[in-house]
């Protein structure tokens, strides 16, 4: 995994200190005289990016505006200067030049805030040890296991373990496989992504929508470092019986922001530019297995310190949090520094609003190399963990093997997050991240190695179902109409539980199956018929939803509870008995209307405990008769007045005694 840190060098003396320095970041003071308008974002944001903002109530602000064009033109015309990349979020440009006079002129512009050395000449870069060397492990030992044959939608083969540790196959089984989700990946290259077998399906189905190389400034990323392709395979692979990724139906943009042979501040600036591109094209998620701590000479003095891992200082952390602010789920590998002198997470894994991912084996054991948290401002980092020790990946030589690193844990989580969000598009990025955290294996006691733990996709779905679902109830025609909305499919089930007045527990009164072959929104109704055996009072209903697709050991929880008031007014003859006055203090009037004469009429009064406190025998003729009953002797409180004929109840009314 890559490590770099940025420290701004603001004096010309420092700028000119290294003879090979040829790349700089120019930061501007403002976006004055900008021809772009916040009222017309369609000029600089895709329709999909605008839709994301509208869906989640995200305002378009000054960070969305492009850098003022005349500032860029002035930099370009200052001398022998090439514009490399432009960052609207940082309000800056990166340039390449060896023209000292041009740098002096640029530094004098009133709209220039700072000129910062960021990299040496590209073709004379120091050839350092492979930044991703710690992750190299081409062993095929794990792949000798017999392919798993089961009833899951996919036959995962050797990659089953890295999905199953999260119950990831559950998402795929209910139809959430990444369809319609757009992921941007930032890395050091995607060597042979156009030919390796694990990506055959993705290429055939047109799931790789575009590429850009922010280092070489062209569209080709197929010939560069293989690290990004290996990370990509963790999500997109689809070789039945051998290797299936965590979101094999998702779509991708592949951006190279990293020069695998160097470690310079310019690459961190490239990273932010790549994150901006993911936003502008309308990406839903950003997956990156890059991190920054220390720089190569002549930029060693600009290396980050652990104190800067506070989520708010580095260029990468600022960019990552801005991506999250725009509504993107940002998934970042935590780093492979667990056994090194650095020890801690790298940036942008420290960013406040990203989902940083540590590494475990597929048995859940923490990988020794996985970087430690917390961030320097004591955020819980990493947030979660996934399989990064002996993770199944595609290699550029077209073999399938295993590799080590948080680099592979991060895309595994990114793919699962995409599938989860696919099922709950009503919720914004931070609610999805929160559900993943809450579903972690140690969510109640997070630590500094795996954060909230290993996320469980079943638990995350259950959490979001509970947040989404709603129920209501109404009484009409002697029945309670229970209505609710939730998300489900036909293999799932609901149980309706009821507690009547006077009861101390719930009884299951109905079981209702879900609908449809794919997980989606559905509305339901259930009618509970009542009769005069049900005493008046509050009736409580609760709905328990099982989300498992298998009967054994179903995961279920209560999604809502509703209460209705039952007063028996809907029963036959109920409108023919009226208490006047009610509440009453001394005498109670009972008006009874019948269509025939009644010789054996009885009026009984019960207290709130159901005890009989008065029993009067009366008779009446056809029509309406008014009876007066003394109640002065009764204690204040709630009573029930029931009218019978030949031991058949006509009606019951609630009485309040003052």
């Amino acid at each position: 995994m890559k490590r770099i840190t940025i420290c701004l060098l603001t004096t010309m003396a420092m700028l000119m200190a290294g003879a090979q320095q040829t790349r700089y970041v120019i930061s501007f003071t403002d976006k004055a005289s900008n021809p772009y308008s916040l009222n017309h974002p369609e000029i600089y944001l895709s329709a999909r990016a605008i839709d994301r903002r509208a869906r989640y109530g995200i305002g378009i602000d000054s960070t969305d505006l492009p850098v003022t064009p005349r500032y860029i033109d002035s930099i370009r015309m200052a001398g022998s200067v090439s514009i490399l990349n432009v960052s609207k979020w940082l309000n800056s440009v990166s340039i390449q030049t060896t023209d000292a006079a041009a740098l002096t002129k640029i530094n004098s512009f009133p709209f220039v805030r700072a000129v910062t050395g960021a990299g040496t000449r590209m073709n004379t870069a120091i050839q350092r040890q492979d930044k991703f060397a710690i992750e190299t492990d081409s062993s095929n030992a794990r792949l000798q296991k017999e392919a798993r044959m089961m009833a899951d939608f996919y036959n995962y083969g050797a990659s089953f373990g890295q999905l199953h540790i999260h119950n990831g196959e559950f998402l795929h089984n209910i139809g959430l496989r990444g369809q319609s989700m757009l992921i941007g990946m930032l890395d050091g290259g995607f060597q042979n992504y156009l030919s390796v077998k694990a990506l055959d399906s993705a290429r055939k189905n047109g799931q790789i929508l575009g590429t850009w190389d922010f280092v070489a400034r062209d569209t080709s990323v197929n010939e560069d470092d293989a690290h990004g392709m290996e990370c990509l395979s963790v999500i997109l692979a689809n070789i039945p019986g051998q290797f299936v990724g965590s979101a094999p139906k998702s779509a991708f943009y592949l951006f190279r922001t990293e020069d695998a042979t160097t470690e310079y501040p310019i690459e961190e600036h490239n990273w932010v530019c790549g994150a901006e591109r993911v936003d502008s094209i309308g990406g839903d998620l950003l997956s990156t297995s890059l991190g920054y701590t220390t720089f190569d000479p002549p930029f060693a003095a600009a290396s980050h310190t652990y104190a800067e891992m506070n989520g708010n200082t580095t260029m990468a952390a600022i960019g990552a949090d801005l991506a999250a602010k725009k509504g993107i789920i940002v998934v970042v590998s935590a780093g492979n520094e667990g056994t090194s002198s650095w020890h801690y997470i790298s940036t942008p894994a420290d960013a406040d609003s990203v989902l940083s991912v540590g590494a475990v084996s597929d048995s859940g054991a923490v990988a020794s190399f996985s970087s430690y948290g917390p961030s320097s401002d004591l955020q819980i980092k990493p947030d979660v963990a996934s399989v990064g020790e002996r993770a199944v990946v595609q290699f550029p030589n077209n073999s399938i093997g295993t590799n080590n690193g948080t680099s592979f844990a991060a895309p595994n989580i990114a793919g699962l997050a995409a599938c989860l969000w696919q099922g709950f598009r009503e919720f914004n990025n931070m609610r999805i991240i929160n559900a993943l955290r809450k579903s972690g294996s140690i969510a109640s006691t997070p630590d500094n190695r795996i954060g909230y733990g290993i996320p469980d996709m079943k638990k995350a779905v259950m959490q979001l179902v509970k947040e989404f679902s709603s129920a209501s109830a109404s009484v009409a025609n002697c029945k309670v109409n229970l209505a609710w909305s939730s998300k489900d499919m036909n293999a799932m089930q609901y149980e309706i539980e009821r507690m009547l007045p006077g009861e101390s527990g719930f009884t299951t009164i109905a079981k209702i199956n879900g609908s449809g072959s794919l997980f989606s929104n559905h509305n339901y109704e259930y009618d509970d018929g009542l009769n005069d055996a049900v005493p008046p009072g509050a009736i409580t209903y609760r709905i328990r939803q099982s989300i498992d697709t298998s009967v054994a050991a179903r995961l279920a929880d209560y999604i809502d509870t509703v209460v209705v008031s039952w007063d028996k007014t809907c029963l036959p003859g109920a409108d023919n008995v009226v208490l006047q006055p009610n509440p009453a203090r001394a005498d109670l009037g009972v008006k009874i209307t019948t269509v025939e004469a009644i010789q054996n009429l009885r009026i009984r009064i019960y207290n709130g405990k159901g005890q009989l406190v008065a029993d009067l025998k009366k008779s009446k003729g056809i029509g309406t008769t008014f009876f007066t009953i003394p109640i002065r002797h009764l204690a204040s409180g709630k009573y029930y007045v029931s009218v019978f004929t030949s031991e058949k109840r006509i009606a019951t009314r609630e009485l309040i005694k003052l």
Side-chain angles (χ1 to χ4, degrees):
M1 175 175 165
K2 165 145 194 181
R3 309 178 301 277
I4 64 177
T5 307
I6 177 166
C7 178
L8 297 181
L9 312 178
T10 56
T11 68
M12 289 305 296
M14 296 179 75
L15 284 173
M16 304 308 298
Q20 287 188 325
Q21 289 188 29
T22 62
R23 288 178 286 173
Y24 304 86
V25 172
I26 314 300
S27 302
F28 300 117
T29 58
D30 53 49
K31 292 184 176 180
S33 304
N34 200 307
Y36 299 100
S37 166
L38 297 179
N39 295 324
H40 293 284
E42 68 279 0
I43 298 175
Y44 47 86
L45 292 175
S46 68
R48 188 178 171 110
I50 295 171
D51 287 346
R52 177 180 359 99
R53 287 161 169 75
R55 181 186 301 124
Y56 302 119
I58 300 168
I60 296 173
D61 60 30
S62 61
T63 60
D64 293 305
L65 290 174
V67 174
T68 301
R70 73 176 183 87
Y71 292 175
I72 300 174
D73 291 340
S74 296
I75 300 298
R76 181 184 292 108
M77 294 184 294
S80 180
V81 174
S82 297
I83 301 294
L84 299 177
N85 294 303
V86 181
S87 169
K88 59 184 179 182
W89 290 353
L90 300 176
N91 197 21
S92 63
V93 298
S94 58
I95 66 170
Q96 183 163 331
T97 185
T98 56
D99 187 342
L103 288 173
T104 301
K105 185 174 183 179
I106 289 170
N107 202 51
S108 70
F109 290 151
F111 52 82
V112 170
R113 181 173 60 84
V115 180
T116 306
T120 68
R121 185 176 295 109
M122 295 173 65
N123 61 0
T124 60
I126 296 172
Q127 295 298 308
R128 59 181 284 152
Q129 182 180 3
D130 181 3
K131 287 182 271 193
F132 309 113
I134 191 171
E135 298 167 355
T136 301
D137 172 16
S138 59
S139 167
N140 287 313
R142 261 193 67 196
L143 302 182
Q144 303 306 312
K145 295 193 296 186
E146 183 177 343
R148 181 181 176 90
M149 300 301 296
M150 57 184 300
D152 290 325
F153 182 84
Y154 290 113
N155 181 359
Y156 298 93
S159 61
F160 178 74
Q162 63 198 48
L163 273 297
H164 182 62
I165 195 173
H166 302 291
N167 277 319
E169 71 275 15
F170 167 75
L171 295 177
H172 298 167
N173 291 343
I174 64 175
L176 304 178
R177 301 155 198 152
Q179 305 94 314
S180 78
M181 302 303 293
L182 180 54
I183 304 174
M185 182 169 279
L186 312 185
D187 214 287
F190 303 85
Q191 185 182 121
N192 294 344
Y193 84 94
L194 290 174
S195 57
V196 292
K197 59 186 177 182
L199 303 179
D200 282 349
S201 293
R203 292 193 300 270
K204 179 181 178 181
N205 296 327
Q207 292 169 239
I208 300 174
L209 304 182
T211 61
W212 183 253
D213 188 333
F214 287 88
V215 179
R217 304 292 301 157
D218 59 36
T219 60
S220 180
V221 297
N222 188 64
E223 67 283 350
D224 302 301
D225 193 88
H227 182 260
M229 183 276 293
E230 294 173 12
C231 295
L232 178 65
S233 73
V234 174
I235 303 177
L236 268 188
N238 192 357
I239 307 176
Q242 187 176 7
F243 180 21
V244 177
S246 56
K249 294 298 183 181
S250 54
F252 267 85
Y253 277 86
L254 308 180
F255 297 141
R256 180 189 178 219
T257 61
E258 204 71 7
D259 185 341
T261 64
T262 65
E263 202 73 76
Y264 293 145
I266 191 75
E267 295 161 83
E268 198 168 344
H269 189 268
N270 292 347
W271 192 96
V272 179
C273 293
E276 291 178 23
R277 187 75 62 92
V278 174
D279 169 45
S280 296
I281 60 179
D284 301 304
L285 297 94
L286 187 160
S287 177
T288 186
S289 294
L290 303 172
Y292 306 92
T293 59
T294 56
F295 296 128
D296 293 334
F299 296 96
S303 295
H304 291 310
T305 63
Y306 173 62
E308 291 178 313
M309 301 295 106
N310 59 17
N312 300 300
T313 298
T314 71
M315 276 196 291
I318 292 168
D321 276 342
L322 275 167
K325 181 182 178 182
K326 306 303 181 184
I328 296 170
I329 291 179
V330 182
V331 184
V332 183
S333 54
N336 300 330
E337 307 293 344
T339 58
S340 77
S341 58
W342 174 269
H343 190 66
Y344 292 105
I345 58 171
S346 54
T347 192
D350 64 314
D352 302 341
S353 300
V354 309
L355 193 67
S356 58
V357 187
V360 296
S361 68
D362 64 7
S363 66
V366 180
S368 61
F369 57 77
S370 188
S371 288
Y372 284 73
S375 61
S376 63
D377 62 336
L378 302 183
Q379 300 172 66
I380 294 172
K381 295 290 178 179
D383 294 270
V384 296
S386 185
V387 176
E389 184 173 284
R390 297 180 66 75
V392 178
V393 302
Q394 167 75 68
F395 289 114
N397 63 3
N398 229 359
S399 66
I400 306 296
T402 60
N403 218 337
N404 294 326
T406 59
S407 284
F408 310 111
N412 202 37
I413 287 293
L416 294 173
C419 295
L420 181 65
W421 203 7
Q422 177 191 347
F424 295 91
R425 297 298 277 159
E426 303 86 354
F427 295 151
N428 67 19
N429 55 339
M430 299 313 297
R431 288 183 74 172
I432 300 300
I433 288 175
N434 188 53
L436 290 167
R437 289 170 176 158
K438 284 185 174 181
S439 75
S441 55
I442 57 170
S444 60
T445 56
D447 65 19
N448 63 0
R449 296 307 311 278
I450 60 173
Y452 295 91
I454 300 166
D456 184 325
M457 295 304 112
K458 286 185 183 179
K459 291 181 180 179
V461 168
M462 189 78 259
Q463 173 67 32
L464 293 170
V465 162
K466 289 166 62 178
E467 294 179 22
F468 172 84
S469 302
S470 63
S472 62
S474 59
V475 181
N477 301 321
C478 278
K479 62 184 177 183
V480 176
N481 177 257
L482 190 63
W484 70 96
S485 298
S486 190
K487 290 176 179 278
D488 61 32
M489 62 175 300
N490 54 21
M492 299 178 181
Q493 190 179 75
Y494 300 92
E495 293 181 3
I496 311 300
E497 298 180 359
R498 181 187 69 190
M499 184 168 63
L500 296 174
E503 294 181 344
S504 59
F506 285 86
T507 301
T508 300
I509 60 173
K511 294 184 178 182
I512 298 172
N513 291 328
S515 306
S517 59
L518 300 177
F519 186 79
S520 59
N521 303 357
H522 291 105
N523 298 318
Y524 296 93
E525 291 188 18
Y526 175 76
D527 288 334
D528 182 26
L530 304 176
N531 54 48
D532 62 0
V534 179
I539 303 176
T540 304
Y541 295 88
R542 63 186 185 185
I543 304 170
R544 184 172 184 262
Q545 182 175 349
S546 167
I547 64 165
D548 257 315
T549 55
S550 61
V551 175
R554 284 185 181 274
L555 176 63
D557 206 342
Y558 295 99
I559 61 173
D560 211 346
T561 299
V562 293
V563 180
V564 297
S565 179
W566 165 243
D567 62 7
K568 295 196 172 188
T569 57
C570 62
L571 293 172
D575 293 338
N576 298 332
V577 176
V578 179
L579 304 185
Q580 296 177 327
N582 189 12
R585 186 181 301 277
D587 295 312
L588 171 65
V590 182
K591 185 174 72 171
I592 302 174
T593 303
T594 61
V595 295
E596 58 185 17
I598 301 175
Q599 296 300 316
N600 299 312
L601 183 72
R602 304 190 75 161
I603 302 174
R604 292 172 174 168
I605 302 177
Y606 301 87
N607 63 19
K609 296 180 180 180
Q611 299 169 327
L612 182 65
V613 297
D615 188 358
L616 296 86
K617 297 180 181 180
K618 302 288 184 179
S619 63
K620 69 174 294 295
I622 297 172
T624 300
T625 304
F626 192 90
F627 299 97
T628 299
I629 303 173
I631 60 170
R632 188 186 305 272
H633 63 288
L634 297 179
S636 298
K638 183 184 294 186
Y639 293 84
Y640 298 97
V641 179
S642 296
V643 179
F644 297 83
T645 174
S646 300
E647 299 304 319
K648 178 181 179 181
R649 180 164 20 205
I650 296 176
T652 296
R653 290 288 178 267
E654 183 180 290
L655 165 67
I656 301 299
K657 167 64 171 62
L658 299 176

